[in-house]
Amino acid sequence: MEQFALDAVERVTTRPAETYDSFTVDPLTPLLGAEIAGLDLSRELSPQQEKEIKQAFLTHHVLVFRDQHLTPDDHKRFAGLFGPLHPVALPAEDADPYILEISADKNSREVAGNGWHADGTADPEPSLGSMLHLTRVPEVGSGGDTLFANMHLAFDMLSPALKTFLRGLTAVHDGARPWLAQGQMPPAEYDVPRNEHPVVVRHPDTGRELLFVNGPYTSHIPQLSAAESAALLTMLYEHIARTPLLHCRVRWQPETLVFWDNRCVQHHAVWDYYPHSRHGRRIAIDGTRPQA
Ligand code: SIN
């Protein structure tokens, strides 16, 4: 691996360890994700717990909470600590407008999120993050994991020359693309979002740079020719998908809640358990417009 990429990894793995008084933190990898133990999310958190969870979230980007028996209201209350809830784009009739049911079974022909992506990046203000609480996991016991990839590190590991080039670019994100990729037109009632965001954005809370393009939503880089844009985006997506250092893997159990930072991680829900069932609820939190 090139020295500039090793330097990027070293900057994360040698940072001083943080201490937490109100729960324990067990990192999934030195670079992404952590399991949090010692909190009951069905109860209101103390100000100290809330402060430390926010700190752990900014440090690890993906937090895993086991054995959380949550009602939809508990789930919403915990999500609400991080900001206003982000409405579901196309809520089912009579459904809670903030709860997205994530379900797959033997009748499924597609599942949500089965490929590297960030959620809703065609929106003018994509979500801050999502909390997914699974109540049913595949009977086979080992399928249906979710993979996450660290977009800070994805950017930091690139060469200085490419980083400088990318900083001058924007990308168009088009909400019609996920529908078209499945051979469907977006529903008539869907006000399809289409927005241009910088290719390299800064995390609004930490100021750290990160790579902000993803396969399902990003259509092109308008400053480049079509061929250049396609080649560059393909190279970046391969970098994200084929660099295991960027990844962590969450193996679900029933009553696990995972909270990921949609601003700086991509995720991939692995559909390897057909015809078994997997079910849960996802609640997202409002974000802000991505800024260079
Ligand atoms: C998604 O939000 O893309 C689905 C995640 C999952 O089912 O693990």
Side-chain angles (χ1 to χ4, degrees):
M1 193 182 295
E2 292 83 359
Q3 190 59 46
F4 52 77
L6 288 170
D7 290 345
V9 172
E10 186 182 346
R11 279 195 291 277
V12 182
T13 54
T14 58
R15 68 191 168 192
E18 288 173 345
T19 53
Y20 296 91
D21 294 330
S22 44
F23 45 78
T24 60
V25 176
D26 187 11
L28 298 183
T29 86
L31 299 163
L32 184 63
E35 288 221 13
I36 305 293
L39 280 185
D40 178 355
L41 302 181
S42 70
R43 294 164 180 262
E44 286 201 18
L45 300 189
S46 69
Q48 174 74 3
Q49 289 170 328
E50 187 180 325
K51 181 167 152 253
E52 292 195 342
I53 277 294
K54 288 179 175 169
Q55 182 59 43
F57 182 60
L58 293 181
T59 301
H60 296 283
H61 316 307
V62 178
L63 300 182
V64 180
F65 303 84
R66 303 286 183 190
D67 300 319
Q68 300 295 333
H69 296 265
L70 303 178
T71 64
D73 283 343
D74 295 332
H75 192 163
K76 281 189 190 171
R77 188 186 55 245
F78 182 49
L81 296 179
F82 296 84
L85 303 187
H86 193 68
V88 172
L90 277 168
E93 216 172 301
D94 299 331
D96 186 311
Y98 298 106
I99 295 183
L100 179 69
E101 301 285 337
I102 298 279
S103 257
D105 60 25
K106 65 179 183 336
N107 299 313
S108 302
R109 292 296 168 265
E110 301 284 346
V111 304
N114 183 23
W116 285 110
H117 68 288
D119 293 328
T121 61
D123 292 350
E125 297 182 342
S127 68
L128 172 155
S130 284
M131 293 184 177
L132 177 59
H133 180 235
L134 286 195
T135 47
R136 177 161 191 180
V137 300
E139 292 84 339
V140 277
S142 57
D145 296 352
T146 306
L147 311 179
F148 294 89
N150 183 330
M151 292 302 108
H152 289 303
L153 198 57
F155 179 68
D156 290 344
M157 288 179 74
L158 299 171
S159 66
L162 183 56
K163 286 200 270 198
T164 301
F165 178 57
L166 294 176
R167 284 189 187 104
L169 303 176
T170 60
V172 175
H173 297 241
D174 184 347
R177 280 173 57 84
W179 297 90
L180 300 176
Q182 291 185 22
Q184 298 172 28
M185 292 301 288
E189 69 272 23
Y190 184 40
D191 186 12
V192 179
R194 194 167 189 267
N195 280 281
E196 198 167 327
H197 300 304
V199 167
V200 180
V201 307
R202 286 195 183 271
H203 192 288
D205 293 331
T206 63
R208 282 186 67 196
E209 290 183 301
L210 62 109
L211 193 55
F212 197 72
V213 288
N214 70 95
Y217 287 109
T218 307
S219 60
H220 66 287
I221 295 176
Q223 296 81 12
L224 304 181
S225 72
E228 289 166 347
S229 166
L232 180 58
L233 289 172
T234 299
M235 187 276 284
L236 294 173
Y237 300 151
E238 288 190 358
H239 167 58
I240 292 165
R242 295 187 185 177
T243 308
L245 260 176
L246 304 177
H247 304 163
C248 73
R249 172 182 281 263
V250 171
R251 181 158 288 188
W252 294 89
Q253 296 157 1
E255 312 297 349
T256 297
L257 181 138
V258 177
F259 178 27
W260 65 86
D261 191 332
N262 192 51
R263 301 165 297 184
C264 65
V265 300
Q266 291 191 22
H267 56 289
H268 178 163
V270 182
W271 191 29
D272 55 358
Y273 51 89
Y274 181 83
H276 297 283
S277 304
R278 181 177 182 270
H279 178 77
R281 296 189 193 96
R282 197 186 83 183
I283 294 180
I285 299 142
D286 274 349
T288 52
R289 188 156 192 118
Q291 305 281 351

